[in-house]
Amino acid sequence: MIAENLQILEEKISEICRNNGRSRSDLTLIGISKMNPVSAILDAFKAGVIHFGENKAQEFQNKAPDVTENVVWHFVGHLQTNKVKYVIKYADYIHSVDSVKLVHEIDKRAGKIDRIPKVLLELNTSGEESKFGLSRDDEILEVAESCKNSGNLELVGLMTMAPYTEDTEIVRKTFRGLRDKKDWLNKKGYGLTELSMGMTNDYDIAIEEGATMLRIGTAIFGERDYSKNGDE
Ligand SMILES: *Cc1c(COP(=O)(O)O)cnc(C)c1O
C-alpha cells in the first residue's frame, strides 16, 4: 500500500511542479512516520523515501535506532528544551526551533557529541493562537541571531503549519507569509534556503508558494489510528 500511495503522490507532486515551473528535484519529500511502526518506515524507504520525520521526542528516540538504513531524520514537532537530549543523536534536521533557550540547548548537546544539526525556525504565520512558533519580527531576529552565534547548529530555513481549513486563500497567505519572512531574513544576510511547508491536505498550495520541504504523512502511510495512542 505504501509503495502505491507513494507512486500516486509522486505523480501529483510532479504534475504540480510542471504546472508551476518548478523542478521536482528542488523539493525534499519528508515522510512523516509518526504513529507508524518501523516496518512502515522500511517499506517507504524501499519505495524510495529517504527523508523521514517524527513529531514526538520519545517516539523518535524509540524508533530511530531501529532504522539502520541510511535515512535522513527530521524532527518536526514542538520540542521542549528538556527533550532535546532524546532527539539530538539522530536528528539531522530540527524544524521547530522557536526560542533562544532551545537554540542554546541544541547547541550545547550537539557540541558534546560532535554533531551539527541543521535547524529551521518555526514561525506562526497564520495568526492562530493555538499554533506554536515565532510571530514577532524582533523575536524572529533574536532567535535567528542566536543561531548565527552557535557553532554546533546551522540555520537553513523556516517552517510553518497552515490552519486546517477549506479556505485555500488563508492557507496560501500563511505560506506566502513564510516565504516573505525568508526573503526578509535573507536581505539581512542569513542565506536561508529551505521553506518547510505543506502537508497531505495543502502540499499543492505549498509547492505553488515556494516550498522546498514537504512534510507528508497520511498520503504516504495512510490514516493514523488516534484511538491507540492519541496525538498531543
Ligand atoms: C503530522 C505532521 C505532518 C504530516 O501531516 P499529514 O497531514 O499526515 O500529512 C506534518 N508536519 C507536522 C509538524 C506534523 O506533526
Side-chain angles (χ1 to χ4, degrees), residues 19-216:
N19 292 340
N20 288 279
R22 298 206 54 197
S23 164
R24 170 65 185 88
S25 59
D26 294 340
L27 289 174
T28 302
L29 175 62
I30 306 168
I32 304 298
S33 49
K34 64 187 186 200
M35 298 178 72
N36 281 281
V38 167
S39 60
I41 296 173
L42 298 181
D43 283 350
F45 180 76
K46 282 191 202 112
V49 180
I50 295 164
H51 294 256
F52 291 92
E54 290 281 340
N55 75 330
K56 293 265 170 36
Q58 248 127 357
E59 181 180 352
F60 179 53
Q61 188 196 30
N62 291 339
K63 282 153 81 173
D66 290 341
V67 181
T68 53
E69 279 71 7
N70 218 351
V71 307
V72 180
W73 277 118
H74 298 250
F75 189 81
V76 302
H78 183 63
L79 185 57
Q80 288 169 273
T81 310
N82 62 353
K83 294 196 174 159
V84 169
K85 56 178 179 283
Y86 299 135
V87 309
I88 198 70
K89 192 169 164 203
Y90 291 100
D92 300 291
Y93 289 82
I94 299 172
H95 290 231
S96 42
V97 171
D98 61 357
S99 72
V100 170
K101 218 172 108 198
L102 186 57
V103 170
H104 288 160
E105 180 70 8
I106 293 170
D107 187 45
K108 185 183 89 185
R109 298 230 171 231
K112 279 188 188 160
I113 56 171
D114 270 332
R115 281 182 71 94
I116 302 186
K118 295 186 166 75
V119 306
L120 295 84
L121 302 187
E122 179 171 357
L123 303 194
N124 177 343
T125 52
S126 69
E128 284 178 296
E129 282 180 22
S130 61
K131 289 260 193 298
F132 290 111
L134 301 158
S135 47
R136 280 184 17 214
D137 284 358
D138 58 332
E139 290 173 341
I140 296 169
L141 275 180
E142 190 191 12
V143 183
E145 182 73 20
S146 76
C147 288
K148 202 197 275 177
N149 296 330
S150 303
N152 305 301
L153 54 84
E154 184 191 353
L155 178 62
V156 297
L158 306 176
M159 183 272 248
T160 199
M161 299 207 350
Y164 192 80
T165 169
E166 301 277 300
D167 187 337
T168 57
E169 277 317 302
I170 291 177
V171 174
R172 192 176 296 285
K173 229 177 104 196
T174 304
F175 292 156
R176 217 167 258 176
L178 196 71
R179 193 180 64 197
D180 289 346
K181 290 297 181 205
K182 176 176 160 240
D183 294 345
W184 171 69
L185 284 168
N186 283 351
K187 283 206 190 93
K188 298 180 185 296
Y190 278 93
L192 306 182
T193 54
E194 306 297 341
L195 284 176
S196 168
M197 54 192 199
M199 317 191 343
T200 294
N201 284 315
D202 53 24
Y203 68 85
D204 51 340
I205 302 172
I207 296 171
E208 288 167 10
E209 296 301 332
T212 64
M213 293 179 151
L214 307 176
R215 308 183 311 269
I216 299 189

